[in-house]
Structures are given as structure tokens and as C-alpha cells.
Amino acid sequence: DTEVTQTPKHLVMGMTNKKSLKCEQHMGHRAMYWYKQKAKKPPELMFVYSYEKLSINESVPSRFSPECPNSSLLNLHLHALQPEDSALYLCASSQSPDSGGRQPQHFGDGTRLSIL
Amino acid sequence: AQTVTQSQPEMSVQEAETVTLSCTYDTSENNYYLFWYKQPPSRQMILVIRQEAYKQQNATENRFSVNFQKAAKSFSLKISDSQLGDTAMYFCAFMKRSGGTSYGKLTFGQGTILTVHP
């Protein structure tokens, strides 16, 4: 059983739609991450939240808008996406942002996103 | 910047045999962590094994062990007694040891697809 829960598991949306991806963890972790993963490729870091504050944005287009309402929840708001944004979106968490490799990241199952 | 290279896009092994996955990396850092993650077709990325660069002893986790050669910047994964459930994509990853504003950024290799045959 995964300790990082992502919903929905699958999402199909049009280019004009607005939708949100949700990620939840109850391990008391204070760092949360969004990754984008294309098929048979490694995950690409998008955003990092540290103590509910955005600490890293890897030059992600503004059509992706992250939000961290509290220490357990991370959202990714989607608007006006392009077909090339179709991918698996993974959420991860770790104990703290400066725990580095001592407390590795735990990943969710991901949301499979398809843009029509 | 760090780079991680996995030179074997695909590998296969018979059940119960041993297989080694290769990984090399390039960094100017002296303190860092190395990881092997496994991603089965079910999608969840699972940590297999972790190595701290300042430790000379190779990490082991049950059937999984690494051969860490710091000078050569090599970090291979050995899977003993391969099982069907080991079929997955394996990613080697690097993380600079935290300090200051480091936020645990993982740099992944391109991955190796491992298939275990019965």
C-alpha cells in the first residue's frame, strides 16, 4: 500500500478544461514534490514544496499551478494544457527538505493524464 | 550539474539467476547519496537501495546489493536470485548531500528495463 495517495488515477481533459490533481500524505513529511514522467523516461522534477512554501519551480509553464494548502496536501491545478502535457504525474514526499538522502522520497502511484 | 548514465536500456535474466545493472555518474560534489529506484508496470516508484558516498561499505538489502566505486563514479546494482516480481524499470539516481538551500533534488538516469523470465 502506498503511503502517498494520488487522485484521480486517470484523467482525460480537453485543452480548454480546468482540472486539479491531488496528493495526500499522512507521514508527517514536510517536503512534497511534483514530477512529470513520460513513458519509459525518468521522472522530471516540476515543483518542490518545503514547509508548505514553494521552494523550487523548475521553469514549469504557468498552465501548471501548484498549491500546498497544508502539510499533508498538495494540489496541481491544470489549465489550458497542450497535448504534449500528456504524461504520468507523480507526487512524492520526504521527511524534510533538508533531510536529503537520509530520508528518501516516497512516491505515489501517479495520475495518468491525457490531453485531447 | 550532475549527470547519471545508465548504459543498458534493457536487460533480461532467468528466474533465480543473478543480474547486474550498471550506473555511472558525474559530479564535482564530494558528499552525496546514490539510489536505485524500481518502477514496476503498476507505476509506483519504490526505493530499492541507498548508498551514502562517505561510506565505503557497499549497501545491501536482502537480494539487492550495490558495487560502489567512488573514484570511478560507478554504482551498479546486483540482484541475486531474481524473481518474477523484480520485472520493472530500474532508475539510478543521485542526490547532493543537503546543506543550506538544498532541497533533496533527485537526478535520475534514463532507466533500465529489466525482464525476469520464468
Side-chain angles (χ1 to χ4, degrees):
Chain A
D1 288 341
T2 180
E3 297 171 318
V4 176
T5 304
Q6 291 188 243
T7 54
K9 293 194 181 306
H10 302 273
L11 179 62
V12 179
M13 57 187 287
M15 289 190 283
T16 58
N17 293 155
K18 285 186 181 181
K19 296 285 185 183
S20 297
L21 310 185
K22 180 179 171 182
C23 173
E24 205 161 1
Q25 57 86 14
H26 296 286
M27 296 178 282
H29 289 176
R30 302 309 298 274
M32 297 185 77
Y33 311 78
W34 280 116
Y35 290 87
K36 173 184 178 180
Q37 186 180 25
K38 291 283 202 178
K40 297 188 178 181
K41 295 292 185 183
E44 300 170 22
L45 183 66
M46 300 174 71
F47 303 103
V48 179
Y49 271 83
S50 164
Y51 297 99
E52 296 96 68
K53 290 187 177 4
L54 183 64
S55 59
I56 294 180
N57 177 343
E58 293 284 283
S59 303
V60 179
S62 60
R63 57 186 184 267
F64 294 92
S65 175
E67 178 196 20
C68 190
N70 58 59
S71 60
S72 300
L73 187 56
L74 184 66
N75 297 319
L76 185 63
H77 302 298
L78 315 173
H79 174 55
L81 295 194
Q82 303 298 307
E84 61 265 27
D85 296 323
S86 297
L88 181 67
Y89 287 83
L90 293 168
C91 174
S93 69
S94 63
Q95 189 171 51
S96 69
D98 58 359
S99 62
R102 288 178 284 119
Q103 298 294 338
Q105 294 177 22
H106 295 250
F107 286 82
D109 284 345
T111 294
R112 178 78 63 195
L113 177 64
S114 298
I115 308 299
L116 300 179
Chain B
Q2 286 70 231
T3 58
V4 178
T5 302
Q6 294 178 247
S7 58
Q8 305 151 315
E10 296 189 38
M11 297 226 11
S12 63
V13 65
Q14 292 297 125
E15 198 174 7
E17 294 188 347
T18 296
V19 64
T20 298
L21 307 185
S22 301
C23 173
T24 58
Y25 58 96
D26 189 26
T27 184
S28 58
E29 301 287 334
N30 192 47
N31 294 318
Y32 50 88
Y33 298 92
L34 294 163
F35 306 87
W36 279 98
Y37 277 91
K38 165 186 176 181
Q39 189 175 36
S42 61
R43 306 187 310 202
Q44 187 189 8
M45 191 86 70
I46 302 164
L47 177 67
V48 174
I49 200 165
R50 177 174 64 103
Q51 175 79 41
E52 300 177 67
Y54 66 89
K55 289 187 177 178
Q56 293 188 339
Q57 186 173 6
N58 289 326
T60 62
E61 285 289 341
N62 301 314
R63 298 182 294 107
F64 299 89
S65 62
V66 298
N67 183 4
F68 173 49
Q69 302 289 328
K70 190 173 184 179
K73 296 180 181 174
S74 170
F75 182 61
S76 61
L77 174 70
K78 185 171 84 170
I79 306 174
S80 304
D81 186 24
S82 297
Q83 300 175 0
L84 296 178
D86 296 332
T87 293
M89 190 150 190
Y90 287 80
F91 291 101
C92 178
F94 172 101
M95 179 186 291
K96 186 172 70 171
R97 188 168 180 177
S98 294
T101 57
S102 177
Y103 292 96
K105 181 176 177 178
L106 282 168
T107 300
F108 288 94
Q110 290 300 303
T112 296
I113 298 173
L114 175 68
T115 303
V116 180
H117 297 286

